[in-house]
Amino acid sequence: MTAGEPGAVQDGSSKGGLRAALGGLTTRGRSFLAAGVAAAVCAYVLGQDDLLRVGLLLAVLPLVCVVVLYRTRYRVTGTRRLSPSRVPAGAEARVHLRMDNVSRLPTGLLMLQDRVPYVLGPRPRFVLDRVEAGGRREVSYRVRSDLRGRYPLGPLQLRLNDPFGMCELTRSFSAYDTLVVVPRTVPLPPLRLAGEASGYGDGRQRSLALAGEDDIIPRGYRHGDDLRRVHWRSTARYGELMVRREEQPQRARCTVLLDTRQVAYAGAGPDSAFEWAVSGAASALVHMLERGFAVRLLTDDGNAVPGEGSDGFAGSTQESADSAGLMLDTLAVVGHSDGGGLSRAHDVLRGSNEGLLIAFFGDLDEEQTSVAARMRQRAGAGVAFVLDSARWTGDSSPAGQAAAGRAEERLRQLREAGWTAVPVPPGAQLPALWQLAGQLRADTESAGIGGPTGFPGGWS
């Protein structure tokens, strides 16, 4: 019973058999059965034939209801549709259910129940009146979660009752759907640092394959190529159909690094520092994709999304939406890593052609600060948002104050290595910090300090 693929439930195909159906007796049915047995025993002891008839009637009625309900032969199909199937944390999604009676018999009273995780809200239940042969009923309910993740919906269950309320049987569909709750994203202001973005923006530069009629780099014809791009001179020269190459834009690159080390964060819940970092990474990657960058998501354990292709970055503009969905789906289920270092992520960064590096760091000790400083050397430009757990947890003890002092020292070391390092206080808004990072970067370049600024395109 999935969206677009109806599933069917047939009463009478019970896996537990008649014994399981007897277990579906309601309180009323069990009371009738007990009263009938008691009346029959009293009638035998007292020798009262009329009381025996009453006892047999009371005992047989729930059993007959069980058999009749168990032998019911109508078929019901169900369809579930999620709208939408991917939502940000805190937003609502609507689940639409449709039940069709595809048998020749009308149904009795049905109770429809869908299984949902506790974090999505109470379990929805609907009572459906008699559904005529070939009839249809549609209902819907809303789900909402403040916690990101992947949540299964289903399977759908139907409860069948007899007209006397003596027995209640449950039939379940086998399929289920999945609701993906991704991190919240916020729009970020467009900024420009260290010049224009190479390949995109006002300073767009293109590498032309066609430099002139007599200076051309053709390629072989591929299925689907426009025949108007056929270069007949090269075709005659090579003896096969050749076409002009299309103009290839030089896409600026951006890597969004998320520090997921468990030792780097304290606290839990939607308002924790780690959840802020996840939401910040999601906002940054979506913003950079919208600005025309080729983007990838990198975690401290070295896992890169969208993949390990030729360069590991998101592909063409047509694939940007799919790449954004893939990275958001990854962030929907990302958790703390057991590793204690950033060395694996450092190894993934190959060299200065990595472009812009946007990092969301938790607590950094001296060793990890040194690794982060070397990361900056492998990127054209680096912006780091650093979260201090002592400040996020409100630790005002001497130990917490000492940790805050060490965090300030780590920020200074990152800035000396060339990072545009921004501290993230509790409850900070990413757009304001994004704007602050732009101002810090501009001030650094105007003063001629802050390490290498070789990223040709800046960041937007």
Side-chain angles (χ1 to χ4, degrees), residues 36-298:
V37 172
V41 172
C42 292
Y44 176 78
V45 173
L46 301 176
Q48 298 292 328
D49 295 339
D50 294 336
L51 183 59
L52 180 60
R53 296 188 186 96
V54 173
L56 292 177
L57 176 62
L58 294 176
V60 169
L61 180 58
L63 298 178
V64 171
C65 291
V66 168
V67 174
V68 171
L69 195 61
Y70 172 75
R71 299 291 296 176
T72 304
R73 296 294 181 180
Y74 57 79
R75 290 176 57 85
V76 177
T77 63
T79 303
R80 181 192 294 108
R81 179 172 58 88
L82 300 180
S83 177
S85 59
R86 181 191 291 122
V87 296
E92 291 184 345
R94 183 167 288 275
V95 184
H96 301 269
L97 304 176
R98 192 183 77 180
M99 306 301 301
D100 294 273
N101 182 12
V102 297
S103 66
R104 299 180 180 179
L105 298 175
T107 70
L109 187 66
L110 301 178
M111 176 179 287
L112 187 63
Q113 177 177 278
D114 206 8
R115 285 189 175 183
V116 299
Y118 176 75
V119 296
L120 296 183
R123 181 171 296 182
R125 294 182 175 89
F126 305 93
V127 177
L128 305 181
D129 293 333
R130 178 178 178 272
V131 182
E132 64 279 6
R136 175 187 301 173
R137 298 290 185 271
E138 295 184 2
V139 294
S140 65
Y141 64 94
R142 295 178 297 179
V143 290
R144 177 181 180 275
S145 175
D146 292 327
L147 301 175
R148 56 187 175 81
R150 295 174 60 89
Y151 300 103
L153 301 178
L156 192 64
Q157 292 181 334
L158 282 177
R159 291 185 179 181
L160 314 175
N161 295 311
D162 66 279
F164 299 101
M166 299 288 181
C167 184
E168 182 182 84
L169 298 183
T170 300
R171 298 288 184 261
S172 297
F173 292 82
S174 58
Y176 62 91
D177 293 288
T178 301
L179 175 68
V180 181
V181 180
V182 300
R184 296 185 184 95
T185 58
V186 294
L188 301 178
L191 301 176
R192 184 178 302 131
L193 265 64
E196 297 290 344
S198 175
Y200 289 84
D202 298 334
R204 177 179 304 179
Q205 299 178 356
R206 289 182 178 272
S207 175
L208 301 180
L210 178 59
E213 188 65 25
D214 297 328
D215 184 14
I216 187 171
I217 304 176
R219 63 168 175 82
Y221 175 83
R222 299 172 184 170
H223 179 72
D225 284 338
D226 190 346
L227 292 178
R228 291 175 294 183
R229 293 174 47 227
V230 174
H231 190 255
W232 298 108
R233 184 180 302 177
S234 299
T235 299
R237 179 184 304 174
Y238 293 104
E240 59 176 325
L241 206 57
M242 307 293 290
V243 297
R244 297 182 179 91
R245 294 180 183 270
E246 295 178 339
E247 296 180 350
Q248 300 294 332
Q250 297 176 353
R251 293 177 63 85
R253 294 179 174 182
C254 174
T255 298
V256 178
L257 171 62
L258 175 62
D259 181 7
T260 65
R261 296 172 299 129
Q262 188 171 10
V263 297
Y265 300 93
D271 298 327
S272 64
F274 179 67
E275 292 301 323
W276 192 100
V278 173
S279 178
S283 301
L285 66 88
V286 170
H287 174 78
M288 301 309 290
L289 282 172
E290 291 175 349
R291 302 296 295 178
F293 281 69
V295 182
R296 70 175 172 183
L297 172 66
L298 180 65

Side-chain angles (χ1 to χ4, degrees), residues 392-426:
W392 276 80
T393 56
D395 187 1
S396 58
S397 63
Q401 295 178 0
R406 289 192 297 269
E408 292 293 336
E409 176 64 20
R410 306 301 181 227
L411 285 172
R412 185 188 61 81
Q413 294 175 7
L414 291 177
R415 288 166 182 161
E416 291 179 351
W419 284 95
T420 300
V422 180
V424 181

Side-chain angles (χ1 to χ4, degrees), residues 298-433:
L298 180 65
T299 58
D300 59 286
D301 55 7
N303 293 327
V305 181
E308 301 293 342
S310 58
D311 55 9
F313 289 82
S316 63
T317 303
Q318 292 79 4
E319 298 174 355
S320 295
D322 294 337
S323 300
L326 178 60
M327 288 184 278
L328 288 176
D329 288 348
T330 301
L331 290 177
V333 296
V334 69
H336 289 295
S337 66
D338 295 331
L342 302 170
S343 58
R344 292 184 181 179
H346 171 269
D347 295 338
V348 174
L349 301 174
R350 293 186 295 269
S352 60
N353 62 342
E354 295 293 335
L356 174 63
L357 176 60
I358 303 176
F360 292 84
F361 291 125
D363 290 335
L364 296 173
D365 56 21
E366 184 175 357
E367 179 182 357
Q368 301 311 314
T369 303
S370 176
V371 176
R374 295 197 300 270
M375 285 183 182
R376 171 60 185 84
Q377 299 173 1
R378 296 197 170 190
V383 181
F385 298 93
V386 184
L387 293 85
D388 179 16
S389 294
R391 298 183 62 184
W392 276 80
T393 56
D395 187 1
S396 58
S397 63
Q401 295 178 0
R406 289 192 297 269
E408 292 293 336
E409 176 64 20
R410 306 301 181 227
L411 285 172
R412 185 188 61 81
Q413 294 175 7
L414 291 177
R415 288 166 182 161
E416 291 179 351
W419 284 95
T420 300
V422 180
V424 181
Q429 299 298 319
L430 182 60
L433 297 179

